[in-house]
Amino acid sequence: MRWLWLPMLGGTVYLVVDALRAGSVQAAVGYGIVGLAITWWLSPWQGAGRARHADVVARPLAERPVVIYWRPGCTYCARLRARLGRAGRRATWVNIWQDEDAAAFVRSVNGGNETVPTVVVDGEPLTNPDPARVLARLAAA
């Protein structure tokens, strides 16, 4: 899945060039905007500059009540982020595609699978938890 952004980018370029050859600038711009947005959503660089697993676990437990391990292109992660709304900003988000230690941690608590979102609430890992439970903990923080 980490490479899925490449064919998306290639398809976007193809559609834009094809639309320009046909003389449809509006279609080319539309394809470009939508295609690049989806490419960005699938890219492993989305969310650059976020927390690293090693830095998170170095903090005392009281300073990390909610840690969310996620990856770009994950619809369940997008659903969780949307359901948390502004409260989600209080959580620590760790991109497993940017941090191999984070990916290893997620595999260790999910039977060897990189299942995301994996949310750690007060030290307890939860795989794809109910957003209401995470929201309740964030509200208490």
Side-chain angles (χ1 to χ4, degrees):
M1 280 293 287
R2 293 182 192 207
W3 53 266
L4 196 55
W5 67 276
L6 284 170
M8 186 66 208
L9 181 61
T12 299
V13 170
Y14 175 80
L15 289 173
V16 167
V17 169
D18 191 51
L20 288 173
R21 284 185 184 155
S24 180
V25 175
Q26 289 178 334
V29 169
Y31 289 141
I33 289 171
V34 171
L36 290 176
I38 294 172
T39 299
W40 173 252
W41 186 62
L42 293 171
S43 77
W45 302 286
Q46 179 194 38
R50 304 282 175 143
R52 310 284 295 170
H53 178 72
D55 298 333
V56 171
V57 297
R59 292 187 223 153
L61 191 58
E63 291 181 19
R64 52 184 164 106
V66 178
V67 180
I68 301 172
Y69 294 90
W70 70 286
R71 67 164 175 78
C74 170
T75 55
Y76 299 106
C77 298
R79 177 183 140 255
L80 178 63
R81 186 181 298 261
R83 293 278 306 272
L84 294 180
R86 288 188 175 170
R89 294 179 188 168
R90 290 191 294 259
T92 302
W93 293 79
V94 181
N95 183 340
I96 67 167
W97 281 3
Q98 290 181 339
D99 186 352
E100 185 54 41
D101 291 339
F105 170 75
V106 169
R107 285 190 302 269
S108 75
V109 298
N110 289 304
N113 298 313
E114 288 185 0
T115 307
V116 288
T118 295
V119 182
V120 180
V121 177
D122 295 325
E124 177 188 357
L126 308 167
T127 303
N128 200 11
D130 179 16
R133 181 174 181 184
V134 179
L135 195 55
R137 180 58 183 103
L138 286 171

